[in-house]
Structure formats: C-alpha cells, structure tokens
C-alpha cells in the first residue's frame, strides 16, 4: 500500500505554526515580517506564483508586497531597486521571481540581494554555507524553499533522523533544486547520488535508491519499473501536458499511476511539493526577520522547533 504524501495538509500545518509565531513576534516586538516580491514582465505563470505567495503571506500575518517592472527593465535599474530594499529596515525578505528577461543577468540580480534578506536562499553566500554544512542547517541559514520543503516531506514519512545512511538519488542538478537538495540530504547523513541529463543507466540508479527526489521537468520520465519496492519518492517536477481534446493537466517527472502500489510513499503533482515551497518561503521570511531583530538586540529568542 503506497502512502500518497499530502503536501497540502503538511504545508497547512506548517503555515499555522508560522502564523502563530508571527503573531507572537508582533506582540513581543511590534515588528511585522515583510516580504517584498519583485516581478519583471508579464509571464502568466510567474504572475500566478507571486500572487499565491502574496496571498499566503497575508494569511499568516506577513506583510507581502508585490512590485512589478516592465519586461524591458535594465539590469542596473533592477539592481538599484534591490539596493534600496536592502537598506530599508522594514523589509526583511526580498524575492525576485525567476526567470528574468535576457538583458538582465540572473546572477547579478541574485548577488545584489543582501544575504540576510535572501529568502529564496540563492545568494552564493547562502548556497556556500549550505554546501559546507557539517550537520543540519542552523536556524539563521536561509535554505532554498523547494529543497527544504522536500526535506520536511521526507522527514514526515521517515521521521527525524530517518534519512541517516539511506541511499538517496537526486535527479537534476540545478542550483535551485537539485544541488541544494543533495546538500540537504548529505547534511542529514544520507548517501547521496546526483544524476542529470548526461548520466548513464538512469533506471539502474533509480532502482538502487531508497529515497528518490525527481527535479527534471520531463513528464513521466521515471517509470514505475525503475523504482524499488519500499522507496520514498518526492516528485518536484511540474509539467503541463495537453490532451487531444485541448484540455491540459499538470503531471510530475514520475509516472505516478505506475508507482502506486510499488513504492512506500510518493508525493502527487499537484498537491505535493508545491504547497511546501510557498510555506518554506514564509518560514524563511520569518527567520530573516528574527535574525534581523536578534542582530539589533530585540526578540532574540528562537522558538524551539525543528531546524531542518
Ligand atoms: P532545470 O531545467 O534548471 O534543471 C533540470 C535538471 O534536470 C538539469 O540539471 C538536467 O541536467 C536534468 N535533466 C534534464 N533531462 C534529464 C534526463 N533525461 N535525465 C536526467 N536528468 C535530466 O529545472 P529546475 O528549475 O531544477 O526544475 C525542475 C522541475 O521542477 C521543473 O519541472 C520545475 O517546474 C519544477 N519545480 C517545481 C517547484 C515546486 O515548487 N514544486 C519548484 C522549482 C522547480
């Protein structure tokens, strides 16, 4: 019997905890965490993502603000705006929605964000801290939201400490998902393999895995027969496929129907990793706010909880 991991429910529990902590923080310090989201251009998918982030932020008591820029904006203007937000003490988290138009270098924009406000965890300083961890991340480290959400789902199934010594395969080596995911698994003592577009014998690699995180962006790439009985599968992929009748639906990187009944647990798409990503963004905003207040000598107590 396969457990279908309910990412919506687990994310709702996390958001409820964040809402309670935000309320405590506001009561204690008078400071409300603020998340500033910058969106460049008119991409409908990006607009939908940032609207969800803004709405979810509001629901947990975080002051989420969206600032939009034309798709023709120059890199210097965007970087200058980020510098203003870095200097604004009322702003605790800054997120630039990706992708950016070709005239703007993503690396220049991500490196312009103050590491302490980098709630996506993509700044090289935060990425470097994650890559050099010798144990679970500390509370003040801003870890990329999707991999952290995946880790929380894995801990939900395997228990805290349940990753120790497990053979984990990460499919995909992007800086947004695959690499930080591998670093987090390693920090939790899993035995980690990363596979990518140039890897050989993917099916064999998958069969060996007790934990599989698929972050590729290829619908149904991972077949049921590739999965070992008892594996825990986290499917990060979001792929829209169109049927002949013109309708469309979202599917993951794993052939879900084939995996059911074979593996121990699997996340669905949608309703698995996606809601966790947004919840972890809100948690990072709260962490960034707390770290800032602690640096100012205010509200320095971290609530006791999981550091994963
Ligand atoms: P990416 O395109 O940056 O990276 C894809 C990776 O897959 C690359 O490292 C590439 O080497 C690897 N790859 C490509 N073809 C492969 C193959 N045939 N076999 C093995 N590896 C292969 O993508 P990304 O930003 O890492 O995102 C991956 C997927 O996750 C996408 O579907 C994206 O939409 C989704 N995503 C979901 C969330 C979420 O919150 N649920 C967040 C981020 C990304």
């Amino acid at each position: 019997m396969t457990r279908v991991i309910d990412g919506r429910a687990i994310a709702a529990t996390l958001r409820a905890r964040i809402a309670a902590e935000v309320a405590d923080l506001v009561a204690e310090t008078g400071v409300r965490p603020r998340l500033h989201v910058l969106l460049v251009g008119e991409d409908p998918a990006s607009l939908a993502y940032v609207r969800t982030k803004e709405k979810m932020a509001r629901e947990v008591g975080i002051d989420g603000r969206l600032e939009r820029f034309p798709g023709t904006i120059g890199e210097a203007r965007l970087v200058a705006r980020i510098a203003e937000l870095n200097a604004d003490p009322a702003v605790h988290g800054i997120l630039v929605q990706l992708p950016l138009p070709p005239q703007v270098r993503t690396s220049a924009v991500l490196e312009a964000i103050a590491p302490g406000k980098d709630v996506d965890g993509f700044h090289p300083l935060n990425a470097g801290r994650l890559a050099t961890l010798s144990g679970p991340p500390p509370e003040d480290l801003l870890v990329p939201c999707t991999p952290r959400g995946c880790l929380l789902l894995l801990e939900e199934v395997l228990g805290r400490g349940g990753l120790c010594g497990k053979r984990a395969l990460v499919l995909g080596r992007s800086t947004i998902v695959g690499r930080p995911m591998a670093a987090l698994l390693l920090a939790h003592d899993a035995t980690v393999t990363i596979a990518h577009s140039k890897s050989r014998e993917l099916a064999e690699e998958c069969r060996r895995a007790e934990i599989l995180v698929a972050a590729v962006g290829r619908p149904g790439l991972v077949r049921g027969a590739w999965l070992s009985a008892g594996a825990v599968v986290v499917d990060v992929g979001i792929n829209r496929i169109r049927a002949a009748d013109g309708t469309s639906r979202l599917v993951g990187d794993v052939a879900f129907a084939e995996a059911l009944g074979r593996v121990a647990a699997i996340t669905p798409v949608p309703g698995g990793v996606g809601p966790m990503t947004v919840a972890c963004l809100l948690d990072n905003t709260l962490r960034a706010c707390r770290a800032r207040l602690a640096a100012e000598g205010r509200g320095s107590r971290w609530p006791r909880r999981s550091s994963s």
Side-chain angles (χ1 to χ4, degrees):
M1 177 75 176
T2 299
R3 172 177 173 185
V4 177
I5 305 166
D6 188 347
R8 284 196 184 105
I10 298 165
T13 303
L14 177 55
R15 289 199 309 274
R17 193 197 72 198
I18 295 167
E21 290 186 17
V22 168
D24 285 352
L25 187 74
V26 174
E28 189 188 339
T29 65
V31 175
R32 184 171 296 285
R34 188 190 294 178
L35 170 65
H36 203 97
V37 179
L38 293 82
L39 173 66
V40 178
E42 306 290 333
D43 176 51
S46 293
L47 186 58
Y49 286 138
V50 297
R51 290 254 185 263
T52 302
K53 290 168 184 173
E54 207 188 3
K55 175 173 167 279
M56 295 285 174
R58 239 192 339 268
E59 282 178 16
V60 299
I62 288 175
D63 180 3
R65 300 191 182 189
L66 172 62
E67 185 172 0
R68 298 188 62 176
F69 300 90
T72 53
I73 191 174
E75 181 181 301
R77 204 183 131 214
L78 193 58
V79 167
R81 179 60 185 135
I82 291 169
E84 285 173 3
L85 295 168
N86 286 342
D88 184 345
V91 175
H92 305 102
I94 302 171
L95 181 150
V96 178
Q97 184 65 40
L98 302 178
L100 290 166
Q103 78 276 10
V104 180
R105 287 171 306 157
T106 303
S107 59
V109 169
L110 297 181
E111 286 169 32
I113 299 171
K117 298 190 179 190
D118 169 37
V119 284
D120 254 343
F122 296 157
H123 190 284
L125 193 86
N126 289 322
R129 282 184 69 196
L130 177 61
T132 52
L133 279 179
S134 57
E139 282 284 353
D140 68 345
L141 177 58
L142 297 172
V143 172
C145 306
T146 299
R148 181 154 177 269
C150 295
L151 182 80
L152 293 176
L153 293 176
L154 287 169
E155 287 189 333
E156 174 78 18
V157 175
L158 296 166
R160 295 201 68 200
L163 285 78
C164 182
K166 290 261 177 1
R167 279 191 302 276
L169 175 68
V170 180
L171 288 181
R173 57 176 163 183
S174 73
T175 51
I176 292 172
V177 189
R179 283 174 207 230
M181 186 73 244
L184 272 182
L185 289 164
L186 195 58
H188 287 77
D189 298 322
T191 303
V192 183
T193 302
I194 305 177
H196 47 79
S197 55
K198 301 290 189 291
S199 297
R200 291 176 292 116
E201 296 166 1
L202 217 53
E204 277 311 307
E205 293 291 349
C206 290
R207 270 184 209 112
R208 274 192 286 274
E210 296 167 282
I211 293 170
L212 177 81
V213 180
V216 174
R218 303 268 183 283
L221 171 79
V222 179
R223 309 306 306 257
W226 297 12
L227 299 166
S228 78
V232 178
V233 179
V234 174
D235 192 350
V236 183
I238 301 177
N239 309 289
R240 183 165 292 282
I241 56 167
R242 285 180 204 291
D245 64 1
T247 58
S248 73
R249 65 191 176 100
L250 294 180
V251 298
D253 291 342
V254 180
F256 185 78
E258 294 176 8
L260 279 183
R262 185 173 181 90
V263 298
I266 185 167
T267 58
V269 177
V273 175
M276 293 300 289
T277 297
V278 182
C280 288
L281 170 69
L282 305 177
D283 198 41
N284 272 353
T285 306
L286 175 59
R287 285 166 186 246
C289 179
R290 280 192 194 285
R292 165 102 200 176
L293 291 172
E296 292 169 354
R298 293 195 285 164
S300 60
R301 277 175 301 127
W302 294 101
R304 215 171 312 147
R305 59 170 155 136
S306 157
S307 61
S308 295

